[in-house]
Amino acid sequence: MPRPEHFAFLLVEDLTHMAFGCAVDPLRIANMISGETLYEWTLVSETGPTVACSNGIVSQVDCTLDELPPVDRLFVLSGIGVQGRATRSLMNGIRRQARRGVKIGGLCSATWILARAGLLDGQRAAIHWDYHDAFMEEFPDVNLQRSVFVADEKTVTSSGGTATADLMLHLIEARHGNTLAADVADQMVYNTVRNASAEQRLSFQARHGIRNSHLSHAIRRMNETVEFPISPADIAAEIGISVRQLERLFGRYLNCSPKKYQVDIRLQKARHLLLQTEMPVTEVAFACGFKSSGHFARSYKSHFGVAPGSQRGRIS
């Protein structure tokens, strides 16, 4: 048997407990099924003896980042409020581990911390879908993917939640074979194991039970052109149907017009940028396809009941 692989999990305050469990338990189960110590792990914090999860559960750690013994992999694990967690000392500590040859990974929102530390430039990466809009604005040099995890880069990343289990099962399979990985998944009663190419979110068709290809194409184009919106007339022409036919499709399946649906997509992106970045309101407006900040402010307040400038700091 190969020597045990030693993972360290650097827990950042307000981390997501689901992703934490999905990271550690597959390793524990792999040891149990094999009857061997295939994996060892150490829980780490930046400074203190405990770290609180976003659900209130407090975890005791084994050591601080400065005290970390030699390990094979260091996974950073965070959750809500990650933008304020990327401290200089935290990033410097992660960089030191990388310089020592430790393989670095980011789970859930921790991809943001690794990007800010400069460890993802020019690489493909995954992060929880809720951070996508803000991440792409903040880190244009990172090739953000909508997949559940990215494991074939120098720095591996997972989008969090159960996708963390998918990544761990992938790593178990790569080192110990498909049979063990499948046995671990069975023990977890996890029969929908996803590969790296799987999308994070349900497709539009799966979410709404709709199989109309014209409607799916129209919605995809709206999502692709948020910054420079194309008109419903141009979308209809691309598809090869009339504007009236496009309007009937949106009315029948979504109970709204194409124009309203498109504006809603742009406003949702604006909300993400306001809550997750420090971009000025005017820049947010332009990034979401609004030609004037006044029009944007009126549309935003009408939709969300609060002015864009007052949205920051609110979670609803």
Side-chain angles (χ1 to χ4, degrees), residues 119-193:
L119 297 177
L120 292 174
D121 289 352
Q123 295 186 44
R124 295 161 54 249
I127 194 171
H128 191 282
W129 62 263
D130 197 41
Y131 290 94
H132 275 203
D133 293 329
F135 190 96
M136 288 188 288
E137 293 289 338
E138 187 85 9
F139 307 110
D141 293 331
V142 181
N143 183 5
L144 187 64
Q145 304 292 297
R146 298 193 179 274
S147 54
V148 290
F149 66 85
V150 172
D152 57 352
E153 293 281 9
K154 181 179 179 181
T155 304
V156 303
T157 49
S158 161
S159 58
T162 57
T164 308
D166 295 309
L167 173 60
M168 292 300 158
L169 290 167
H170 172 86
L171 296 177
I172 291 169
E173 180 179 4
R175 188 171 176 86
H176 299 288
N178 175 262
T179 299
L180 179 60
D183 288 345
V184 172
D186 283 344
Q187 188 69 30
M188 296 167 62
V189 197
Y190 193 49
N191 56 13
T192 55
V193 181

Side-chain angles (χ1 to χ4, degrees), residues 97-114:
Q97 294 297 322
R99 288 195 296 269
R100 292 169 183 167
V102 176
K103 297 176 182 178
I104 305 297
L107 307 178
C108 196
S109 65
T111 302
W112 189 288
I113 296 173
L114 300 187

